[in-house]
Amino acid sequence: MANKSKFQAIRGTRDLLPPETALWNHVEETAHAVFDTFGFSEIRPPIFEPTELLARAVGGETDIVSKEMYTFEDRAGGLPDPGEMSPDGFLNEIKRAMNSGQLANDAAVIAQLEFQLENYNLRSDSERARLIWLYFVRGLRLGDSISLRPEATASVCRAYIEHNMQQLPQPVKLYYMGPMFRRERPQKGRYRQFYQIGAEVLGGGDAPAIDAEVIEMVMTFFDRVRLSGIELDINSIGHNAPNCRPAYVEKLKAALEKAKDKLGADSQRRIETNPLRVLDSKLEHEQPIIATLPRIADHLCAECAAHYAAVKRQLELRGVFFKENWRLVRGLDYYMRTTFEITAKGLGSQNAVCGGGRYDGLVELLGGPATNGIGFAIGEDRLILSLQESGKGAAPQGRDVYIAWMGERAYATAIRAAKNLRNAGFSVELPPTESKFGKALERADKLGSRYALILGDNEVSEGSWTLKTLADGTQQKFTEPELLEFLKA
Ligand code: HAM
């Protein structure tokens, strides 16, 4: 019996459907246009990357890397099947694949295979030995570890290094849009495949004006798509020198230790692993304790404090309203100095529509030259949700012209008319089969068409076409060139 169970999109993923996709397109076109006016160009990195790149950039201890990445082994195609040859034959084939470069050279893999062969008598023909062998070999990591990208800053930095972009005029200003993947618990505004629109500025120094202009750009974009009721929070988390953030983190740790008994289990654990993240806590009973903790703004080194003050001044110069939020620490390891987040209305607990910050040193950490960096990423899904909640969703898309035709000759004319109208930029529905005019007009109405073009054999032989305006039912007669003129007007 055929299996009739229905397929569904995987948990945390979803289909974006019309008419909503029209709004997605509008948002993306606006991003292209606005970012272009700030001198940014588009980059399209791949959606999977070496796991090692992401772990190093985002941080191995972060939730994103340690819990949420979709990671898999990229086993090369055409590798020998361990079930189809003797263990020795298989070992030889793996060596050959490594020598030819089909497989990464990995002495550890060869050593493991040889060890198994020596120690477990797997050369015997017994069924049991064969099963142990297969179980062992299939569990072996033969290929590289790759991951679906949970974010794209790491990719952009990798590309900057890989393509020697430090030789271009600095700074290099890039933006991207596309899907990201995190295995988070799905809820409103949180998905496992979600979309970001992001931008990065690489190189060219760390002038506070760069921070401010990047923030001005994202605020301009939100304004252009008419996202209302947003709030911009900013902070500085200093830098990684002994007289700056590390000294503050020690003070914070000491204060947290004193209040340890009153904190929840998660925060207690974070005192050791990542004390800054305690500031993120939303737990009601921890709030009074957090309110008394030392604040990083009071402990920045002189350079970071001056930078932060200058960023704020630069934002004021640009008329960008912000709120200082000393608890804004962000969940990725690469940040230093300026961090920011933008929240929007109508989103419940997942209300951050944009996050970003400065990450000087990341390019160097990934093997490139010492390079400044700053950027942001907008959560497009959340942006769309917020627009919809405030009544700015997309209207269902209609057609400009529905061609109601009857008869062989009329159909030939209808095909030509459709072609000409489409070339002139009008959306046209040309039904593939004939139907009575009454039925056709009903359908035109259902599709939300603005006009119906009525083409019967009479109209065609007279060269005079009838155009019906569906909203009020009025009809007008036109020759073909007149019709085009009328519609264009
Ligand atoms: P992030 O804060 O991890 O930063 O993500 C940026 C935005 O992506 C969030 O504010 C949110 O709107 C959206 N987002 C994140 N996870 C999800 C999810 N599971 N479902 C829906 N939306 C989500 C970054 O990714 C950094 N790379 C930003 C950046 C660029 N910093 C410097 N340059």
Side-chain angles (χ1 to χ4, degrees):
M1 209 176 77
N3 181 355
K4 287 199 179 158
S5 69
K6 284 192 197 138
F7 292 109
Q8 287 189 327
I10 286 171
R11 189 170 138 80
T13 73
R14 64 211 176 110
D15 301 303
L16 305 174
L17 303 171
E20 194 183 300
T21 38
L23 182 57
W24 284 75
N25 281 322
H26 168 67
V27 159
E28 288 167 15
E29 280 156 19
T30 308
H32 287 294
V34 172
F35 295 176
D36 181 63
T37 64
F38 281 80
F40 282 68
S41 318
E42 189 182 5
I43 177 171
R44 300 191 187 195
I47 64 164
F48 49 84
E49 293 278 2
T51 304
E52 177 60 26
L53 167 75
L54 297 160
R56 220 192 294 170
V58 178
E61 297 298 315
T62 59
D63 284 353
I64 295 178
V65 169
S66 67
K67 299 187 197 148
E68 298 167 1
M69 274 207 308
Y70 287 93
T71 296
F72 46 98
E73 181 195 0
D74 189 21
R75 203 174 266 232
L79 281 185
D81 181 343
E84 284 182 356
M85 56 188 73
S86 71
D88 289 298
F90 179 74
L91 177 59
N92 284 335
E93 283 300 304
I94 292 297
K95 284 182 181 161
R96 189 197 52 73
M98 284 184 181
N99 284 334
S100 71
Q102 184 192 1
L103 210 58
N105 240 315
D106 190 339
V109 166
I110 299 296
Q112 281 189 61
L113 284 169
E114 282 174 342
F115 180 83
Q116 294 288 322
L117 279 173
E118 292 308 320
N119 291 279
Y120 295 101
N121 195 23
L122 297 177
R123 291 191 175 92
S124 80
D125 280 342
S126 86
E127 182 65 7
R128 191 170 158 274
R130 200 179 70 85
L131 287 177
I132 292 174
W133 169 248
L134 288 182
Y135 182 78
F136 165 71
V137 169
R138 294 211 161 116
L140 210 61
R141 268 205 176 278
L142 290 175
D144 301 326
S145 175
I146 62 180
S147 296
L148 298 184
R149 63 181 185 189
E151 62 106 53
T153 307
S155 305
V156 174
C157 290
R158 177 200 44 70
Y160 180 88
I161 300 166
E162 184 171 338
H163 304 288
N164 289 320
M165 291 190 212
Q166 71 274 11
Q167 287 168 10
L168 301 173
Q170 304 291 302
V172 173
K173 302 198 272 187
L174 299 167
Y175 73 91
Y176 51 86
M177 45 187 84
M180 310 290 157
F181 306 85
R182 297 182 191 175
R183 195 191 284 103
E184 292 190 87
R185 196 170 50 76
Q187 65 181 84
K188 181 181 173 188
R190 189 156 78 191
Y191 311 96
R192 293 180 168 182
Q193 173 172 340
F194 61 98
Y195 294 79
Q196 281 186 347
I197 300 176
E200 315 288 352
V201 179
L202 290 161
D206 65 355
I210 299 182
D211 307 47
E213 196 182 70
V214 162
I215 295 173
E216 180 189 4
M217 179 168 89
V218 65
M219 296 303 273
T220 303
F221 164 72
F222 280 149
D223 189 49
R224 204 65 64 78
V225 293
R226 297 193 298 134
L227 181 69
S228 50
I230 55 177
E231 183 186 297
L232 164 67
D233 283 19
I234 64 166
N235 192 20
S236 172
I237 58 166
H239 81 307
N240 203 8
N243 64 340
C244 198
R245 188 170 56 226
Y248 166 71
V249 170
E250 281 315 309
K251 288 205 181 77
L252 180 64
K253 256 187 177 172
L256 287 170
E257 280 295 346
K258 275 193 205 140
K260 190 167 180 177
D261 305 342
K262 296 183 215 127
L263 295 172
D266 276 340
S267 294
Q268 290 195 3
R269 204 167 346 99
R270 289 192 169 131
I271 297 178
E272 276 315 312
T273 56
N274 195 347
L276 281 174
R277 294 291 289 176
V278 177
L279 304 181
D280 253 359
S281 162
K282 306 254 166 13
L283 287 182
E284 199 67 51
H285 77 272
E286 292 184 344
Q287 301 312 310
I289 303 159
I290 293 173
T292 65
L293 293 171
R295 307 186 168 203
I296 190 153
D298 304 330
H299 297 85
L300 295 174
C301 70
E303 289 87 43
C304 286
H307 192 271
Y308 187 37
V311 169
K312 287 184 277 187
R313 209 161 45 242
Q314 284 285 338
L315 284 171
E316 279 156 12
L317 271 177
R318 290 168 164 75
V320 175
F321 293 103
F322 58 87
K323 209 182 91 201
E324 283 184 76
N325 177 358
W326 68 279
R327 289 175 55 175
L328 177 63
V329 289
R330 315 263 310 125
L332 301 90
D333 279 357
Y334 48 62
Y335 291 115
M336 51 93 66
R337 289 191 172 169
T338 312
T339 54
F340 57 97
E341 228 161 64
I342 299 167
T343 51
K345 283 198 289 212
L347 292 174
S349 64
Q350 303 303 310
N351 64 350
V353 283
C354 176
R358 178 165 282 286
Y359 50 84
D360 297 353
L362 177 56
V363 168
E364 201 172 357
L365 181 73
L366 299 177
T371 307
N372 300 103
I374 182 168
F376 64 81
I378 294 161
E380 195 177 357
D381 308 71
R382 294 181 190 177
L383 166 58
I384 300 273
L385 263 176
S386 187
L387 288 173
Q388 288 169 330
E389 300 271 335
S390 62
K392 297 185 192 107
Q397 252 190 327
R399 308 282 189 283
D400 295 321
V401 182
Y402 185 101
I403 306 186
W405 62 272
M406 274 187 81
E408 279 298 298
R409 271 187 62 207
Y411 188 44
T413 304
I415 291 174
R416 201 191 63 229
K419 190 184 291 257
N420 290 338
L421 286 170
R422 285 171 178 152
N423 283 342
F426 298 104
S427 69
V428 177
E429 190 70 21
L430 175 64
T433 52
E434 182 178 73
S435 65
K436 299 244 164 60
F437 286 130
K439 272 245 146 29
L441 290 175
E442 252 173 50
R443 199 161 166 263
D445 211 36
K446 273 196 192 136
L447 287 175
S449 316
R450 184 131 185 250
Y451 300 106
L453 175 61
I454 299 170
L455 288 179
D457 287 338
N458 279 347
E459 279 83 0
V460 171
S461 50
E462 285 165 16
S464 160
W465 300 358
T466 304
L467 188 74
K468 181 170 175 144
T469 305
L470 288 166
D472 58 14
T474 55
Q475 299 199 8
Q476 283 170 277
K477 295 227 165 221
F478 293 106
T479 64
E480 190 174 355
E482 280 169 358
L483 176 78
L484 214 58
E485 280 313 304
F486 171 79
L487 288 174
K488 278 184 186 158

